[in-house]
Amino acid sequence: MRKPKKLLNNPIDVCREQLEGLIAACGGSLQKIDGISAVVRAGLRDEQVLVLTGGGSGHEPMFAGYVGDGLADAAALGDIFTSPAPNVIMDTVKSANRGKGALFIYGNYAGDNMNFDIAAELLEEEGIPTRTVRVNDDMASAPAHRMQDRRGVAGDMMVLKIAGAAGRHSRELDEVYRLAAKANDNTRTIGVALSPCSLPQTGEFNFDIPEDEFELGMGIHGEPGVRRQKMVPADQLVTELVDSLYGDLALATGDEICLLVNNLGASTYSELLIANRKVHQLLAERGIRIHDTLIGSYCTSQEMSGYSITFFKLDDELKSLYDAPCHSFAWRK
Amino acid sequence: MRKPKKLLNNPIDVCREQLEGLIAACGGSLQKIDGISAVVRAGLRDEQVLVLTGGGSGHEPMFAGYVGDGLADAAALGDIFTSPAPNVIMDTVKSANRGKGALFIYGNYAGDNMNFDIAAELLEEEGIPTRTVRVNDDMASAPAHRMQDRRGVAGDMMVLKIAGAAGRHSRELDEVYRLAAKANDNTRTIGVALSPCSLPQTGEFNFDIPEDEFELGMGIHGEPGVRRQKMVPADQLVTELVDSLYGDLALATGDEICLLVNNLGASTYSELLIANRKVHQLLAERGIRIHDTLIGSYCTSQEMSGYSITFFKLDDELKSLYDAPCHSFAWRK
């Protein structure tokens, strides 16, 4: 079986070294928090709600790449595909806290839920209020009547965008929470994987997909998807993905969305652009307006080949916040 | 042998469909030129020098992704890894011409040189003056005493940035040419490949690289590089790449550069960020300032795994032009 092939140093240093590389790229706008695997953006204001994100590493540029002006204020990072520990989350908040509490925004995974909840409880005891939005945009991970079981994937960035913009205007934790929760409610993602990902520590692929098949709905850590099937033309697949997203979001003629075609790692721009073409065609036929289109590597799964498509449904309030400027490693607007 | 695996429709439609997808993503800021594979940006001014780029497809987001405000004004596109035909180049210029001539900026390849030169000659006969900068940043492709034989790779984007910014201020073809030529003189790139690329039309990899080796200096169409060798730690490789770039550009303490760590396709962000960390460390030790750092997929070679590193040496004039805003699919500043 084929082995992963990467230019690394000692695999146990990947998370530390890549974070140093990210911080170096940001020219002072992103700062390491001493002693823990966490970053905070420069320019935090007094009396602002802290928008905190985080989760396992391995999805670069998520999460640290979304820490910046108009996006997340700080990120607590775990090892590859591993939640940050409660003390890392707590220390990140205490280091960056500006007296108005913290909004936690992270993907809905058991390990993250547990560790962020423990941190939240301990912070409350210290007088720092928190609220939590567990992003659950991955519609392939559970049916619509079990929304609480859906995982968070690329849609994290939409929720961070809205929360970051809201945090520029409001100093009220509940208000920033309300808007972030609405953004999450309005976001759906579905993905397909063509090839596996690997953990640098193991040097082995986590699983295998036959050469003539793809997997619909695979998770960004390689969680099983909805089904495997033989390869089909891109337009046929994209039509199915759009149908699913359209239905799950209950879109109707006249609705407006932002679109993300996200590279899970090793797909070519050709594939992403061809998918985008079909999404635009299908939505135009249905009278859905596309306010903004993002295409590229926004939430990856190491060297996995495949992509995900995210719809973020707008209303006037969300659109205004989406259009606000932002500036981080992964997103400049 | 492993086969390429991609989500496409009919492979012969890749170029057309991906261009439609790119234009759809740009929301009106990028326009197709009727009847040919070429794009022009919205908002061209009267009496401006036309900055024209182009070349073979397959390197997305290059070239069309760099057509936008403050970058290239138009791009003439060939099939995958194939130069645009002279008539496509001519028609692009005639469609976008604003009466001040055209500056051609493209990678130094025999096919492109021939076709752009033919177009230039025919345009001159029609009274449209042209100048040409053949980007030759790939220092692995020929030794320093044969600069004219070096190929153009990711460094194209630095030259387009400077020309696009210059074209906002100057209406003189010779002046925009002078600045673009200086940008090219100040740009060097070197790359490494870990795995092959494929042509969608053939459905086969162009070559193979043994599982435990990489190739230093491979071209973005799979042209042979300087040598193959066993995998080494990333820091060791990056040190060699930086030494090469440093020497070839004759950098000295106090110099200032912009840095691009470019994904050739399938490399992970982990690898790019770890490379970036080492470049920053090495240049800090040598007293070289890094004015800006770009990391991501800017000039790809389909699904090739590997990356290139570009140094763009600044002076006051180039720095001011580099810092000007720009807005295209692939680069927003």
Side-chain angles (χ1 to χ4, degrees), chain A residues 2-9 13-14 16-22 24-26 58 60-61 80 192 194-195 209-214 231-237 263 265-271 273-274 276-277 280-281 292-293 295 297 300 302-303 305-307 329 332-333, chain B residues 2-9 13-14 16-22 24-26 58 60-61 80 192 194-195 209-214 231-237 263 265-271 273-274 276-277 280-281 292-293 295 297 300 302-303 305-307 329 332-333:
Chain A
R2 201 164 55 91
K3 290 266 195 178
K5 191 174 179 185
K6 295 183 191 178
L7 284 164
L8 304 174
N9 296 306
D13 294 325
V14 164
R16 177 180 60 79
E17 290 181 351
Q18 71 181 13
L19 187 58
E20 289 174 11
L22 180 70
C26 291
E60 291 67 37
I80 305 278
V192 290
L194 276 65
S195 73
I209 301 178
E211 280 301 303
D212 59 345
E213 296 186 7
F214 68 93
M231 295 290 284
V232 295
D235 282 0
Q236 179 182 329
L237 171 65
N263 194 346
S267 286
T268 59
Y269 257 111
S270 299
E271 294 164 274
L273 293 167
I274 288 169
N276 181 59
R277 163 186 170 275
H280 276 258
Q281 285 178 356
D292 192 30
T293 301
I295 303 176
S297 298
T300 64
Q302 296 288 304
E303 69 273 71
S305 180
Y307 53 71
F329 175 80
R332 185 177 299 202
K333 187 174 172 59
Chain B
R2 203 165 54 92
K3 290 264 195 180
K5 191 174 179 183
K6 295 184 193 180
L7 284 165
L8 303 173
N9 296 305
D13 295 325
V14 164
R16 176 180 61 77
E17 291 182 350
Q18 70 181 14
L19 188 59
E20 289 174 11
L22 181 71
C26 291
E60 290 67 36
I80 305 277
V192 290
L194 275 65
S195 73
I209 302 178
E211 280 301 303
D212 59 345
E213 295 186 7
F214 68 93
M231 295 290 283
V232 295
D235 282 0
Q236 179 182 332
L237 170 65
N263 193 346
S267 286
T268 59
Y269 256 111
S270 299
E271 294 164 275
L273 293 168
I274 288 169
N276 181 60
R277 165 186 168 274
H280 275 259
Q281 285 177 356
D292 192 31
T293 302
I295 304 176
S297 296
T300 65
Q302 296 287 307
E303 70 273 71
S305 179
Y307 53 72
F329 175 80
R332 185 177 300 202
K333 188 176 169 61

Side-chain angles (χ1 to χ4, degrees), chain B residues 6-303:
Chain B
K6 295 184 193 180
L7 284 165
L8 303 173
N9 296 305
N10 189 331
I12 67 168
D13 295 325
V14 164
C15 289
R16 176 180 61 77
E17 291 182 350
Q18 70 181 14
L19 188 59
E20 289 174 11
L22 181 71
I23 289 167
C26 291
S29 64
L30 190 69
Q31 291 157 359
K32 176 89 163 51
I33 298 177
D34 279 347
I36 54 173
S37 183
V39 290
V40 59
R41 73 176 178 90
L44 283 178
R45 287 175 291 106
D46 287 342
E47 300 204 356
Q48 76 154 83
V49 174
L50 186 76
V51 176
L52 176 83
T53 189
S57 298
H59 308 295
E60 290 67 36
M62 195 165 279
F63 294 88
Y66 297 97
V67 176
D69 187 25
L71 286 160
D73 297 309
L77 306 168
D79 284 336
I80 305 277
F81 296 180
T82 306
S83 173
N87 72 298
V88 174
I89 300 164
M90 283 188 67
D91 289 351
T92 304
V93 171
K94 289 203 272 188
S95 164
N97 177 36
R98 290 295 184 276
K100 298 302 259 182
L103 175 59
F104 292 180
I105 297 173
Y106 56 87
N108 184 38
Y109 296 91
D112 291 300
N113 296 348
M114 182 176 72
N115 289 353
F116 277 93
D117 278 355
I118 291 169
E121 198 169 322
L122 295 170
L123 288 164
E124 293 277 355
E125 288 176 8
E126 299 192 22
I128 300 176
T130 68
R131 300 293 301 265
T132 293
V133 175
R134 292 177 178 167
V135 180
N136 59 348
D137 57 313
D138 183 4
M139 57 166 291
S141 54
H145 67 274
R146 290 196 357 246
M147 290 296 286
Q148 74 282 3
D149 293 336
R150 287 186 175 177
R151 300 182 293 252
V153 286
D156 283 341
M157 63 186 274
M158 299 300 176
V159 184
L160 292 173
K161 177 74 185 73
I162 297 307
R168 286 176 149 219
H169 301 296
S170 173
R171 295 178 175 191
E172 297 308 319
L173 180 57
D174 284 346
E175 173 65 0
V176 181
Y177 165 79
R178 178 185 73 78
L179 290 159
K182 183 160 78 164
N184 183 43
D185 288 343
N186 283 18
T187 302
R188 297 290 187 284
T189 298
I190 189 165
V192 290
L194 275 65
S195 73
C197 56
S198 73
L199 292 176
Q201 307 94 301
T202 65
E204 303 278 348
F205 287 112
N206 287 4
F207 52 90
D208 199 19
I209 302 178
E211 280 301 303
D212 59 345
E213 295 186 7
F214 68 93
E215 183 157 332
L216 181 75
M218 173 170 283
I220 58 172
H221 312 87
E223 296 94 337
V226 174
R227 67 167 194 273
R228 285 193 179 181
Q229 67 170 84
K230 298 289 181 194
M231 295 290 283
V232 295
D235 282 0
Q236 179 182 332
L237 170 65
V238 171
T239 300
E240 179 178 351
L241 300 181
V242 168
D243 281 346
S244 300
L245 293 164
Y246 186 94
D248 208 271
L249 259 183
L251 292 179
T253 300
D255 281 346
E256 192 164 23
I257 68 158
C258 294
L259 168 65
L260 166 63
V261 181
N262 172 56
N263 193 346
L264 290 172
S267 286
T268 59
Y269 256 111
S270 299
E271 294 164 275
L272 306 177
L273 293 168
I274 288 169
N276 181 60
R277 165 186 168 274
K278 190 64 182 176
V279 176
H280 275 259
Q281 285 177 356
L282 292 166
L283 292 188
E285 287 167 9
R286 296 178 189 192
I288 309 295
R289 288 169 296 164
I290 301 179
H291 177 62
D292 192 31
T293 302
L294 298 169
I295 304 176
S297 296
Y298 288 94
C299 173
T300 65
S301 182
Q302 296 287 307
E303 70 273 71

Side-chain angles (χ1 to χ4, degrees), chain A residues 41 43-51 73 96-102 166-173 176:
Chain A
R41 74 176 177 89
L44 284 178
R45 287 175 292 104
D46 287 342
E47 300 204 355
Q48 75 154 84
V49 174
L50 186 75
V51 176
D73 297 309
N97 177 37
R98 288 295 185 275
K100 297 302 260 181
R168 284 177 151 218
H169 300 298
S170 172
R171 295 180 176 189
E172 298 309 319
L173 180 56
V176 182

Side-chain angles (χ1 to χ4, degrees), chain A residues 67-146:
Chain A
V67 177
D69 188 25
L71 286 161
D73 297 309
L77 306 168
D79 284 337
I80 305 278
F81 295 179
T82 306
S83 171
N87 72 298
V88 174
I89 300 165
M90 283 188 67
D91 288 352
T92 304
V93 172
K94 290 204 271 187
S95 164
N97 177 37
R98 288 295 185 275
K100 297 302 260 181
L103 175 60
F104 292 179
I105 297 173
Y106 57 87
N108 184 36
Y109 294 92
D112 290 300
N113 295 349
M114 182 177 71
N115 289 352
F116 277 92
D117 278 355
I118 292 171
E121 197 170 321
L122 295 170
L123 287 165
E124 293 278 355
E125 287 175 10
E126 298 192 21
I128 301 177
T130 67
R131 299 293 302 262
T132 292
V133 174
R134 290 177 179 167
V135 179
N136 59 347
D137 57 315
D138 183 4
M139 56 165 291
S141 54
H145 66 275
R146 291 195 357 244

